[in-house]
Amino acid sequence: MASQKQSLPSFASILSVLSIVFYCAGFLRVELELNKQKKRIIDLENNQENKPPDVPNRDKLTKNTHETEYVKPYRNRRAADSLKNTTGAKITVDRETILKINRLLSALKPQLCHSNGDSCLPGPPGPPGPRGDKGSRGRRGHKGDQGIMGSPGKSGKQGIMGPAGPKGDAGLKGRKGDKGPAGMPGAKGEPGESISAPVVAVSPKTLTVNEGGSASFHCSVSGNPDPVIVWSKTIRQYSQTVVSGGKMLLKNVQGSDSGTYNCSAVNILGQAQALVQLMVNVHPQVSLHPGPHYAIERSSYTLPSCHVTGYPVPVVSWRKSSGPLPQGRVKYNNSTLQILHVRKADSDLYYCAASNLLGRVEKKTLLVVVSPPRFTVKPPAKVVASIGGILILNCSATGDPQPVLTWKKQGGQLPVGRSQQINGNLVIRSVTVNDKGIYSCVATNAGVFKAEADTFIEVKDGLAGSTILSNLDSKYLDQLNSYLDPVRQTTGRSRFVRCWHAKTDGWAASTFHSNCDGKGPTVTIIKVGSYIFGGYTDKSWGGSCRSVYSSKSFLFSLYNINGYAPAKVNIKSSQYSNAIRTCPNNGPIFGPGGLDLYISSNAASNRHSYAYCGYRYPLPPGYSASGHSCRFYAGGSSIYFTPTDVEVFYETTT
């Protein structure tokens, strides 16, 4: 039995034989199919060569294109498989031949597939053909939707550590834990020393050092337990101090470090303390205002206080730069110096000196003795100015140093562009009604002492602006206007403007001529005491000494003490050629050589002016004394007089 089992073929051998048989049968079938297909291709080529040149219509070809393309890969693949299985070798198919076969199959598909009732079934896809040339880049497509988030990448390397964040809030306090078990008792200690209260001893108790030096004090302390040592100052804190083992060291001491210091020691049994005294010698210092200080002559003056510091307390002394202190007129203590009845010679530098054992210093101050301003010429208390005229206010003062004179207008400013200050005098040109007000002449010397003189300026139009006539009743002004009305250039339209006021402009004849020459018709008003008189001419003043013809000139008297009424006397008709006389060296002159009325130069300081009655101008009505006996115009004991004031007005139509 055993030998029979061993001789029977195994199942694996039977399976192998069957596989070979099936494989060979399949191979034969493939060969038959290939031959059949080859025959069809040959018949197709022959048929194509013998077929007339008619080409199937375009629609059929177009219709079969899809089917041809569908069959092509199947046929190619079958041919390739058969060659591979038959020969096992690699066959390279010409690309152009394959394309030619495909075109033939597409054109004759109906005849081949349906000529004998067979249907052309698609075969399996053939192998992929060779890779074609790379085509041109297509258009960029639309951006697609965002894809889902991918998985996270690998972690990067750890970065540099950043700055520490702010400290967080403190957490809640934990609960107290349970009490732990008692420890083991310790070993018995050595017997301790006896305890005692502190005891303090200091050295030195008193110390004196110079400013900038060092001071050292030692505080010795005993006691058990060891006391705590503390140094302190009884009044205020001290600086730059070193304390070590009870020793106190003060470096670079100053005057403020002087005082009492306390060394105290404290332990559980009490406190003890001891005091030391420190004195610092300080260089003297002086503080004194440098000045200058101004004192009025013949008054008493105290120089500013001399403030002195230092230790020991410095000795203070005063001295004068150019010599000894004034004898018998000086009082002083350690800080102040007073000079009685000061004189100009007391003007000087004065020194305050302070000295102690560390040295001597001094400071200086300047004293200037002045004479306060004093007016030598004051402007009148009241001045009447004429609109359009020139107003001159005189002012002068003396003093030592010489005062500086300035002018101001109370409640306003001086006329802009029309006012000028010349040698202390104020000149206002083209006076207007706005110039009315109080003006002050201010004299200042040493920039400290001042004196003021005030004057009230009243502005009036025409002759109403006359300073001389302003003190009289208005009827006298009306009377003068009645004398002038017949000779005015234009009745009702002309007015008179003052060109010279001797009392304010100056008495020199040259001033009169520079202000009034060439102005045309003028009225001269003269005041001698209480007498007021004058003259009118329709001719201009100016030129060389000569007589001037006029038929309208006249003399007048407005006020006199003899009770005579105002009077007007016209030039005699036979004397027209000698109506006035103009001469640069004299003031206004009526009559030849001044035989009727003559005003000299600087008339206020001489007695050369005179009035002579009845020569070129007739005697006043009711008055018979003539020649050297005439007292009608100026009064007095003779024809000569010294005028109190003189004004000249010129007529204008503007």
Side-chain angles (χ1 to χ4, degrees):
M1 285 295 291
S3 61
Q4 285 179 351
K5 285 183 180 181
Q6 291 177 355
S7 62
L8 291 175
S10 64
F11 176 78
S13 300
I14 296 171
L15 183 61
S16 298
V17 172
L18 292 175
S19 297
I20 294 172
V21 172
F22 282 120
Y23 178 79
C24 291
F27 179 77
L28 290 174
R29 184 177 178 179
V30 169
E31 285 292 328
L32 292 175
E33 289 293 330
L34 286 175
N35 290 332
K36 187 178 181 178
Q37 186 67 25
K38 184 175 181 182
K39 183 179 180 181
R40 287 180 179 179
I41 294 172
I42 294 171
D43 293 339
L44 179 62
E45 290 177 350
N46 294 331
N47 192 14
Q48 182 67 24
E49 291 176 358
N50 298 325
K51 192 173 182 178
D54 295 345
V55 180
N57 59 43
R58 185 179 302 272
D59 294 338
K60 286 185 176 182
L61 291 177
T62 304
K63 182 178 180 181
N64 294 330
T65 302
H66 180 69
E67 298 177 357
T68 305
E69 290 177 351
Y70 181 78
V71 173
K72 178 178 62 174
Y74 174 75
R75 293 172 59 88
N76 289 342
R77 184 169 183 180
R78 288 184 61 188
D81 290 343
S82 63
L83 291 175
K84 182 177 180 181
N85 292 334
T86 305
T87 60
K90 187 177 180 181
I91 301 173
T92 303
V93 181
D94 184 81
R95 185 176 182 182
E96 293 182 1
T97 303
I98 293 173
L99 291 176
K100 183 177 179 182
I101 293 171
N102 287 338
R103 284 195 298 271
L104 291 173
L105 290 175
S106 297
L108 301 177
K109 182 178 179 181
Q111 291 82 354
L112 292 176
C113 293
H114 300 286
S115 59
N116 56 359
D118 295 333
S119 297
C120 295
L121 297 177
R131 186 172 182 176
D133 297 333
K134 184 177 180 180
S136 59
R137 184 181 182 90
R139 291 183 299 172
R140 183 169 183 174
H142 298 293
K143 183 177 181 182
D145 297 333
Q146 183 174 355
I148 60 174
M149 181 178 292
S151 58
K154 293 189 294 182
S155 299
K157 295 181 180 180
Q158 182 176 355
I160 302 173
M161 181 177 292
K167 185 176 180 181
D169 298 333
L172 298 175
K173 185 176 182 181
R175 291 184 301 172
K176 185 176 181 181
D178 298 333
K179 185 175 182 181
M184 296 292 292
K188 185 177 181 179
E190 297 292 332
E193 298 179 1
S194 60
I195 60 176
S196 61
V199 177
V200 177
V202 293
S203 65
K205 292 187 177 181
T206 302
L207 180 64
T208 301
V209 297
N210 291 336
E211 183 179 27
S214 298
S216 177
F217 294 93
H218 186 73
C219 181
S220 300
V221 178
S222 62
N224 190 30
D226 290 337
V228 177
I229 303 173
V230 177
W231 279 95
S232 62
K233 192 175 182 182
T234 57
I235 298 178
R236 58 183 176 178
Q237 294 295 325
Y238 48 92
S239 59
Q240 302 188 33
T241 305
V242 178
V243 178
S244 177
K247 180 179 180 181
M248 180 181 68
L249 177 62
L250 284 78
K251 298 179 180 180
N252 190 27
V253 294
Q254 305 297 318
S256 59
D257 294 327
S258 296
T260 302
Y261 292 82
N262 177 33
C263 177
S264 63
V266 180
N267 68 8
I268 59 175
L269 295 183
Q271 177 180 351
Q273 63 181 12
L275 302 177
V276 297
Q277 186 73 33
L278 174 64
M279 292 176 290
V280 180
N281 294 329
V282 179
H283 290 80
Q285 293 184 346
V286 176
S287 176
L288 180 64
H289 192 287
H293 307 283
Y294 297 96
I296 298 176
E297 191 175 13
R298 292 184 296 277
S299 68
S300 296
Y301 187 80
T302 301
L303 290 173
S305 295
C306 180
H307 299 284
V308 176
T309 59
Y311 187 85
V313 177
V315 177
V316 180
S317 60
W318 287 86
R319 70 181 181 89
K320 185 181 177 184
S321 176
S322 61
L325 295 173
Q327 297 296 320
R329 295 186 294 111
V330 172
K331 292 182 179 180
Y332 70 91
N333 53 30
N334 282 344
S335 61
T336 58
L337 174 67
Q338 184 181 35
I339 303 175
L340 307 176
H341 309 294
V342 293
R343 304 169 184 171
K344 293 295 294 181
D346 296 333
S347 296
D348 207 340
L349 288 171
Y350 289 81
Y351 290 84
C352 174
S355 59
N356 64 10
L357 57 87
L358 294 186
R360 181 178 185 275
V361 294
E362 63 180 8
K363 290 289 182 69
K364 62 184 177 180
T365 185
L366 176 63
L367 175 65
V368 179
V369 180
V370 302
S371 297
R374 181 174 58 85
F375 287 105
T376 54
V377 176
K378 288 185 178 181
K382 180 180 179 181
V383 176
V384 178
S386 177
I387 292 179
I390 299 176
L391 174 63
I392 300 178
L393 299 176
N394 294 323
C395 184
S396 63
T398 185
D400 187 15
Q402 180 63 34
V404 176
L405 298 178
T406 57
W407 282 87
K408 65 180 182 179
K409 182 181 181 182
Q410 296 184 14
Q413 61 179 355
L414 298 175
V416 178
R418 297 184 294 107
S419 62
Q420 186 179 9
Q421 299 183 46
I422 303 175
N423 297 327
N425 301 326
L426 177 63
V427 180
I428 302 177
R429 305 182 186 278
S430 303
V431 176
T432 68
V433 292
N434 295 327
D435 297 333
K436 178 181 178 180
I438 298 176
Y439 292 75
S440 300
C441 177
V442 182
T444 307
N445 66 353
V448 177
F449 303 102
K450 293 183 179 180
E452 295 188 9
D454 298 336
T455 180
F456 175 73
I457 305 301
E458 184 177 4
V459 179
K460 293 184 179 181
D461 192 13
L463 294 174
S466 168
T467 302
I468 297 174
L469 299 180
S470 63
N471 295 323
L472 296 179
D473 191 284
S474 60
K475 67 180 181 180
Y476 294 102
L477 176 60
D478 295 338
Q479 186 67 63
L480 179 57
N481 281 323
S482 68
Y483 296 157
L484 295 172
D485 286 342
V487 294
R488 287 181 183 270
Q489 297 180 73
T490 305
T491 304
R493 293 185 59 186
S494 67
R495 61 190 181 92
F496 285 88
V497 178
R498 185 169 61 190
C499 61
W500 182 47
H501 183 199
K503 201 169 187 179
T504 58
D505 298 345
W507 287 88
S510 58
T511 302
F512 157 65
H513 285 286
S514 64
N515 291 349
C516 300
D517 281 1
K519 298 290 188 180
T522 57
V523 177
T524 302
I525 304 174
I526 304 168
K527 182 178 181 181
V528 180
S530 298
Y531 289 79
I532 297 175
F533 56 96
Y536 165 84
T537 180
D538 59 333
K539 302 301 181 181
S540 293
W541 302 101
S544 59
C545 294
R546 57 189 174 83
S547 296
V548 180
Y549 178 94
S550 172
S551 61
K552 297 180 179 180
S553 297
F554 62 84
L555 299 179
F556 62 88
S557 173
L558 295 179
Y559 183 83
N560 60 72
I561 61 173
N562 292 324
Y564 286 98
K568 170 187 176 182
V569 289
N570 292 311
I571 181 71
K572 294 178 180 180
S573 58
S574 60
Q575 302 296 325
Y576 288 166
S577 58
N578 295 306
I580 64 170
R581 183 174 178 80
T582 179
C583 191
N585 298 324
N586 305 110
I589 302 173
F590 290 84
L595 292 180
D596 290 272
L597 182 59
Y598 171 82
I599 302 297
S600 68
S601 180
N602 297 312
S605 59
N606 59 58
R607 197 172 172 79
H608 299 158
S609 302
Y610 58 84
Y612 191 95
C613 301
Y615 188 50
R616 304 298 181 182
Y617 292 83
L619 289 173
Y623 191 78
S624 58
S626 61
H628 290 279
S629 302
C630 180
R631 306 289 185 271
F632 178 79
Y633 293 105
S637 59
S638 70
I639 61 172
Y640 295 98
F641 59 86
T642 300
T644 307
D645 200 0
V646 177
E647 293 177 301
V648 176
F649 291 80
Y650 69 93
E651 186 181 6
T652 179
T653 57
T654 59

